[in-house]
Amino acid sequence: MRVSLIDSLRDVPAAAWDALTGANDPFAEHAFLLALEESGAVGHAAGWITRHVTVWDRDRLCGAMPLYEKSHSYGEFIFDWAWADASHRLREPYYPKLVSMIPLTPATGRRLLMADDI
């Protein structure tokens, strides 16, 4: 098995990614996440840098996790401002941070995506 980080969902076939998401999580689907990238809602300028984790068994995608490197806490529904402030007062860097969530939405669902036969 090979684990890799990808900078864009363009690097993964839509059918392979969507086979991992299940039928009831449209916000984790390839088309939605790619639309966020292509619209500029995520990316360097937005402070949501794509760092999706993929797990491959030879040429088959068998696991994935939507993951973003963040330079701020805007667009999240976690409200970690107190943690960021405490970190700042301790002179410890809080950013960048990694978050496994769907940007700009409070939608719940699986974020550790795996093939059914694993």
Side-chain angles (χ1 to χ4, degrees), residues 7-86:
D7 296 329
S8 173
L9 271 183
R10 284 184 223 99
D11 298 336
V12 177
W17 183 275
D18 288 345
L20 306 178
T21 63
N24 297 318
D25 197 358
F27 297 108
E29 290 180 359
H30 191 277
F32 182 80
L33 296 175
L34 185 59
L36 292 176
E37 289 180 29
E38 292 179 344
S39 70
V42 301
H44 287 274
W48 291 80
I49 302 167
T50 304
R51 302 282 188 237
H52 300 315
V53 178
T54 57
V55 181
W56 300 85
D57 184 5
R58 296 184 183 95
D59 292 334
R60 177 181 174 233
L61 182 66
C62 58
M65 181 172 58
L67 189 67
Y68 297 89
E69 179 182 325
K70 296 287 307 288
S71 60
H72 55 69
S73 293
Y74 297 107
E76 298 175 29
F77 292 86
I78 297 170
F79 305 114
D80 62 348
W81 298 107
W83 286 104
D85 181 59

